[in-house]
Amino acid sequence: RKEVEQDPGPFNVPEGATVAFNCTYSNSASQSFFWYRQDCRKEPKLLMSVYSSGNEDGRFTAQLNRASQYISLLIRDSKLSDSATYLCVVNEAGGSYIPTFGRGTSLIVHP
Amino acid sequence: EPEVTQTPSHQVTQMGQEVILRCVPISNHLYFYWYRQILGQKVEFLVSFYNNEISEKSEIFDDQFSVERPDGSNFTLKIRSTKLEDSAMYFCAISDRRNQPQHFGDGTRLSIL
């Protein structure tokens, strides 16, 4: 059974802090990876794709470690508006394409 | 402006009734998906649809579920005989390529009584 695991948190951090989440996946053949954020009772919204070389978008940095089968998300200078649940999504390789979501990591940024 | 709109936003239905959830992409996309999220649980893939046919489906997507794109724009999910456990948020998503990021609609909350 293919699994995507995340620490549910919550991570409670003050404004301005740096926080990092990991997501582990079980299928070594997984091909593409994404981070989404989800606000309470809302739809998931794409935060960023995760590339093999790592990628950065403003305060957000995503990395992929294929050897250890995990992806990470680093948020610098946390804002109150970053409070949300962060979902890891892993897509399989080969003929079957079924995206697998993690349960999400809850982040609470407080003043 | 959202790329995908879903209707209705909330549907309340008696157990055993049929429901149809609708998804309308704002512009042309190639791939369509349905997901569900039971309250407090993770997002679960149901089905993907490409070129007017199902391309993948999960074990959740059994005979009581069906999808179609009746008029080339709307994309619908039908649940034939609803059960209490079908109560969930249902999200439609679209993408331009099979392995690319998806954009989600704002969901339909389905409540089965």
Side-chain angles (χ1 to χ4, degrees):
Chain A
R1 183 173 178 172
K2 303 178 179 70
E3 298 287 347
V4 175
E5 301 288 344
Q6 294 184 254
D7 181 344
F11 285 60
N12 260 287
V13 302
E15 272 186 289
T18 295
V19 61
F21 313 131
N22 281 346
C23 166
T24 60
Y25 59 95
S26 61
N27 184 358
S28 59
S30 297
Q31 192 174 57
S32 54
F33 310 86
F34 309 94
W35 284 104
Y36 286 75
R37 69 169 278 166
Q38 185 175 31
D39 294 288
C40 188
R41 295 183 177 267
K42 300 286 190 182
E43 76 274 21
K45 291 185 178 176
L46 178 69
L47 186 61
M48 57 199 308
S49 303
V50 186
Y51 304 123
S52 297
S53 55
N55 48 301
E56 189 174 307
D57 183 2
R59 298 181 293 108
F60 299 86
T61 301
Q63 300 221 310
L64 167 63
N65 185 318
R66 284 194 184 273
S68 300
Q69 293 183 202
Y70 74 87
I71 65 171
S72 63
L73 178 67
L74 180 80
I75 305 175
R76 287 181 297 278
D77 188 23
S78 300
K79 312 287 185 197
L80 296 177
S81 56
D82 293 334
S83 298
T85 298
Y86 289 83
L87 309 178
C88 166
V89 183
V90 176
N91 292 347
E92 308 300 330
S96 172
Y97 168 78
I98 294 183
T100 303
F101 281 69
R103 294 187 65 126
T105 297
S106 174
L107 172 66
I108 300 170
V109 182
H110 56 82
Chain B
E1 181 164 351
E3 293 194 49
V4 185
T5 59
Q6 289 187 240
T7 58
S9 56
H10 188 196
Q11 173 85 43
V12 182
T13 300
Q14 292 287 332
M15 187 172 60
Q17 296 297 305
E18 173 183 285
V19 296
I20 297 177
L21 311 182
R22 290 185 170 79
C23 170
V24 182
I26 301 301
S27 55
N28 288 330
H29 294 281
L30 294 177
Y31 291 90
F32 302 84
Y33 310 83
W34 281 104
Y35 294 85
R36 79 173 185 192
Q37 187 175 29
I38 296 170
L39 186 63
Q41 298 190 22
K42 64 180 180 179
V43 175
E44 298 174 291
F45 171 86
L46 293 177
V47 65
S48 60
F49 192 83
Y50 169 72
N51 203 24
N52 289 321
E53 60 183 27
I54 291 174
S55 51
E56 283 96 12
K57 59 183 181 179
S58 71
E59 58 192 23
I60 302 170
F61 194 87
D62 61 22
D63 290 345
Q64 70 160 343
F65 291 92
S66 62
V67 290
E68 62 177 4
R69 203 166 170 225
D71 55 8
S73 59
N74 290 302
F75 178 51
T76 63
L77 174 70
K78 183 191 290 186
I79 309 175
R80 260 180 276 282
S81 178
T82 50
K83 306 184 185 74
L84 293 176
E85 54 264 36
D86 292 328
S87 295
M89 282 291 289
Y90 287 81
F91 295 108
C92 170
I94 50 93
S95 70
D96 290 327
R97 290 187 183 180
R98 202 163 178 240
N99 215 18
Q100 293 297 305
Q102 297 172 23
H103 298 277
F104 285 73
D106 55 3
T108 293
R109 184 154 64 99
L110 178 63
S111 301
I112 307 300
L113 305 178

